[in-house]
Amino acid sequence: MWPAIKPRLRKGAALYFSHGFAIVYRDQTGVIPPENVDVILVAPKGSGRSVRANFLDGSGINSSYAVRQDFTGRALERTLALGIAVGSGYLFRTTFEHEVFSVLTGERGVLMGALAGVLEAQYQVLRKNSHTPSEAFNETVEELTQSLIRLVGENGMDWMYANCSSTAHRGALDWKDRFRGAVAPVFEDLYGSVKNGNETRNVMAANSRPDYREKLETELKQIRESEMWQAGAVVRSLRPENWKK
């Protein structure tokens, strides 16, 4: 879209981004704004669906903000106004570089990639040791999403530990450092790949292929039809809130 947008930018306009990708990796994207516009960022910390749902609910969602280029002298004012307009519950300062480095690391790490990988690993170990699909899924995913992560969200990890059984918090405290040590090198490699642009090159190359959507659906289908997530579909249907649906 950049070749269509750039000629329409008038002097004093605000070029607003919700992600630092295009600007930070401009050597790959070709997105180099003219000097006579403001270049600003408000990046909601959630999926588009969550941003919209929280907006309608009136609760908002946290966002980071940054000013890359202040031509008018009003770039910060414009940025904060946009942050309020999209329903941000809280705004915190960042830079375009920090925003994109943290987002790409987080998406591939704890938020999505690492989360999916760790869940699959635990599920498979339980199944290998004769636990049923229902038990393996409930102990791996359902309890996390329906109980524990909510406690973390309310008051933090220590509060969640304090509000679980002694067998749970004692075991978690004893094992968390081993998990941290095991995955820390992977996160170091991941951050380096983000910072040097390799992840961007991979994304752009894959997304530019004419059959990308078909290949993506094949990959997602493999997850959807795996035993773990087939069990998950059944477990979700049995939640009390779904009984009357």
Side-chain angles (χ1 to χ4, degrees), residues 136-151:
F137 187 85
N138 271 282
E139 292 296 342
T140 299
V141 180
E142 195 74 353
E143 189 169 353
L144 170 69
T145 58
Q146 297 301 297
S147 175
L148 299 186
I149 205 66
R150 296 177 179 181
L151 300 184

Side-chain angles (χ1 to χ4, degrees), residues 178-206:
R178 287 189 62 180
F179 279 107
R180 184 182 63 205
V183 302
V186 181
F187 277 99
E188 291 287 353
D189 289 345
L190 169 56
Y191 193 85
S193 186
V194 168
K195 193 170 182 179
N196 67 24
N198 282 342
E199 293 303 306
T200 314
R201 281 184 281 274
N202 292 341
V203 168
M204 293 182 67

Side-chain angles (χ1 to χ4, degrees), residues 31-226:
V31 177
I32 302 175
E35 296 180 356
N36 62 354
V37 300
D38 292 342
V39 180
I40 61 179
L41 170 116
V42 174
K45 299 295 103 179
S47 70
R49 289 179 64 113
S50 300
V51 173
R52 182 60 178 164
N54 284 29
F55 180 87
L56 294 175
D57 185 54
S59 60
I61 199 165
N62 294 347
S63 302
S64 59
Y65 73 92
V67 174
R68 180 81 172 195
Q69 191 167 285
D70 185 6
F71 174 77
T72 65
R74 296 173 45 241
L76 178 59
E77 179 185 351
R78 286 171 143 177
T79 305
L80 297 179
L82 276 164
I84 294 168
V86 300
S88 303
Y90 171 77
L91 287 162
F92 60 95
R93 190 188 305 271
T94 188
T95 66
F96 273 65
E97 284 79 8
H98 280 180
E99 191 278 332
V100 74
F101 293 166
S102 62
V103 166
L104 293 186
T105 299
E107 290 168 346
R108 287 150 179 76
V110 170
L111 301 179
M112 296 177 68
L115 177 62
V118 169
L119 294 178
E120 290 174 8
Q122 178 171 300
Y123 179 89
Q124 290 165 7
V125 167
L126 291 175
R127 289 290 288 126
K128 186 170 66 175
N129 285 276
S130 304
H131 296 269
T132 65
S134 178
E135 184 172 45
F137 187 85
N138 271 282
E139 292 296 342
T140 299
V141 180
E142 195 74 353
E143 189 169 353
L144 170 69
T145 58
Q146 297 301 297
S147 175
L148 299 186
I149 205 66
R150 296 177 179 181
L151 300 184
V152 176
E154 287 175 15
N155 287 296
M157 187 68 74
D158 65 311
W159 192 86
M160 185 269 281
Y161 279 16
N163 284 272
C164 289
S165 67
S166 58
T167 56
H169 68 239
R170 182 67 266 148
L173 289 167
D174 290 344
W175 277 85
K176 74 176 182 67
D177 290 350
R178 287 189 62 180
F179 279 107
R180 184 182 63 205
V183 302
V186 181
F187 277 99
E188 291 287 353
D189 289 345
L190 169 56
Y191 193 85
S193 186
V194 168
K195 193 170 182 179
N196 67 24
N198 282 342
E199 293 303 306
T200 314
R201 281 184 281 274
N202 292 341
V203 168
M204 293 182 67
N207 290 0
S208 298
R209 297 187 187 113
D211 61 346
Y212 174 72
R213 294 299 303 181
E214 291 79 6
K215 288 188 175 181
L216 174 63
E217 175 53 30
T218 299
E219 292 175 301
L220 297 181
K221 184 179 179 182
Q222 290 174 347
I223 297 174
R224 183 169 60 248
E225 295 185 353
S226 68

